[in-house]
Amino acid sequence: MSETINVTRSSLPGFEEYCSEIRSIWDSHWLTNMGDKHQQLESELKKYLGAANVALLTNGHLALENVIEAMELKGEIITSPFTFASTTHAIVRCGCTPVFCDINPEDYTIDPAKIEALISDKTVAILPIHVYGNLCDVDAIDRIAKKHGLKVIYDAAHAFGVTKNGVSSAVFGDAAMFSFHATKVFNTIEGGALCFRDETLNQRIKDLKNFGIQGPEDVKYVGGNAKMNEFCAAMGLCNLRHLEVWIEQRKTVDERYRERLGGVPGIRLNAPQKGVRSNYAYFPVVFDGYKYTRDEVFDRLGGHGVIARKYFYPITNSFECYRGRPGFDPDSTPVAKHIAECVLTLPLYPDLSLAEVDRICDIILG
Ligand SMILES: *Cc1c(COP(=O)(O)O)cnc(C)c1O
């Protein structure tokens, strides 16, 4: 029996590299609360992402909640249900109402042609998701938002390092959230960041992620705790040095999958987007009219020790916790519902060997 292949495998720097990075944490005994590593990573990311304002947080989810709160959004937020639980939960937990827009069947991002019909006098923002390393139609979304005076916050958890005509995914919309979770292309073990246009949000987000405390005797807001600690920031500093190589290795895996699975009837691959440099975060395959259903392919792979992932499935507007709530209806987003039933993301990480990719493809095609 061959070894198990997981859908992903966290990227790590060399052990010695990380040890040497955290040496100064031992020397200073400063473990969290915006220490040297936190500040260094923030400024490195500003450069790498080309963003005017960057804030580091404990994770991507709290970053989303914090930016919704910092912008004082109250009302309806148009989003897509073809995402990870976090996006919809953040909207609901902040006291806003998600209004679900369908996706387009080409790149699985929100369909801008369907947004305007969902705008009401309660709409305050659009929260689209860049999925699998594909970018949303940022120009169309920008036009709609401007016309109706809406904020745009991108869930860019999948789009770290992605550019469109050389422009970073961090600068589209009013704000972008990145996740640095262990399973993402760039990780800080757990972590997240916000990039945003309005510099007055800097102080607000700084306060919100640290209990609303502005000074030793001065508590301005009812904030929570969402500070990235020094060990996570140190991991980020190390991983950032390797990122470009890792993206290249991911690309090699992506290309091999395309060679093997491209052009097979009933198998649809994620088409590269024009002008977009992907980060090859995921390799989604849509099994639609193939000799095996998605669930059959999932089970066949599992039987050979290959763990693929039904991602995203189920879609968020069909979650049990939302059942019965008005507006939460998977039938209102038929494209998202259909893709969620047919899609499987295959194992993809920088050191996945081409022999392993071949083994996976043989099982799928067999
Ligand atoms: C990972 C992810 C999140 C949440 O990020 P965390 O850092 O795990 O909190 C949100 N949205 C999407 C699309 C994600 O993939």
Side-chain angles (χ1 to χ4, degrees), residues 10-31:
S10 297
S11 296
L12 286 168
F15 182 64
E16 301 299 334
E17 183 183 354
Y18 185 65
C19 288
S20 108
E21 191 67 50
I22 61 174
R23 179 79 244 178
S24 59
I25 304 179
W26 249 263
D27 296 340
S28 70
H29 285 246
W30 190 287
L31 310 186

Side-chain angles (χ1 to χ4, degrees), residues 134-204:
N134 294 334
L135 293 184
C136 299
D137 185 345
V138 290
D139 299 324
I141 293 167
D142 191 53
R143 275 194 300 275
I144 296 166
K146 285 219 167 76
K147 182 172 157 198
H148 297 273
L150 305 174
K151 296 276 189 220
V152 178
I153 301 169
Y154 282 103
D155 180 332
H158 289 193
F160 189 82
V162 177
T163 59
K164 184 178 183 181
N165 302 323
V167 180
S168 162
S169 61
V171 305
F172 301 122
D174 296 284
M177 173 280 272
F178 293 98
S179 163
F180 305 150
H181 182 255
T183 55
K184 304 297 206 267
V185 171
F186 168 74
N187 86 78
T188 62
I189 310 171
E190 290 264 10
L194 288 171
C195 298
F196 45 96
R197 206 169 280 253
D198 174 5
E199 68 175 68
T200 64
L201 287 179
N202 270 308
Q203 185 63 45
R204 194 70 204 265

Side-chain angles (χ1 to χ4, degrees), residues 3-225:
E3 264 184 52
T4 297
I5 303 177
N6 232 317
V7 69
T8 189
R9 189 162 179 261
S10 297
S11 296
L12 286 168
F15 182 64
E16 301 299 334
E17 183 183 354
Y18 185 65
C19 288
S20 108
E21 191 67 50
I22 61 174
R23 179 79 244 178
S24 59
I25 304 179
W26 249 263
D27 296 340
S28 70
H29 285 246
W30 190 287
L31 310 186
T32 185
N33 283 46
M34 287 63 81
D36 284 348
K37 299 295 170 192
H38 186 285
Q39 290 175 37
Q40 264 182 55
L41 183 60
E42 219 164 66
S43 81
E44 291 287 322
L45 288 179
K46 242 182 231 181
K47 273 185 270 169
Y48 179 77
L49 293 170
N53 304 290
V54 175
L56 296 180
L57 296 103
T58 315
N59 56 56
H61 179 78
L62 284 175
L64 264 186
E65 289 195 11
N66 274 266
V67 74
I68 293 171
E69 217 177 322
M71 288 182 176
E72 300 181 22
L73 300 177
K74 285 279 167 265
E76 295 176 357
I77 299 183
I78 297 174
T79 187
S80 128
F82 193 71
T83 183
F84 185 56
S86 171
T87 325
T88 302
H89 284 354
I91 295 170
V92 173
R93 286 169 58 86
C94 287
C96 294
T97 306
V99 172
F100 294 104
C101 182
D102 211 349
I103 58 171
N104 73 67
E106 284 82 41
D107 59 23
Y108 321 120
T109 62
I110 197 165
D111 185 346
K114 294 179 180 159
I115 293 178
E116 279 194 289
L118 299 170
I119 296 175
S120 79
D121 56 358
K122 296 196 192 72
T123 310
V124 289
I126 309 174
L127 206 169
I129 304 100
H130 301 305
V131 291
Y132 306 133
N134 294 334
L135 293 184
C136 299
D137 185 345
V138 290
D139 299 324
I141 293 167
D142 191 53
R143 275 194 300 275
I144 296 166
K146 285 219 167 76
K147 182 172 157 198
H148 297 273
L150 305 174
K151 296 276 189 220
V152 178
I153 301 169
Y154 282 103
D155 180 332
H158 289 193
F160 189 82
V162 177
T163 59
K164 184 178 183 181
N165 302 323
V167 180
S168 162
S169 61
V171 305
F172 301 122
D174 296 284
M177 173 280 272
F178 293 98
S179 163
F180 305 150
H181 182 255
T183 55
K184 304 297 206 267
V185 171
F186 168 74
N187 86 78
T188 62
I189 310 171
E190 290 264 10
L194 288 171
C195 298
F196 45 96
R197 206 169 280 253
D198 174 5
E199 68 175 68
T200 64
L201 287 179
N202 270 308
Q203 185 63 45
R204 194 70 204 265
I205 289 166
K206 215 163 146 186
D207 294 342
L208 284 173
K209 74 179 186 188
N210 189 29
F211 307 103
I213 297 173
Q214 278 197 350
E217 301 179 6
D218 188 11
V219 182
K220 273 275 198 307
Y221 303 105
V222 187
N225 181 1

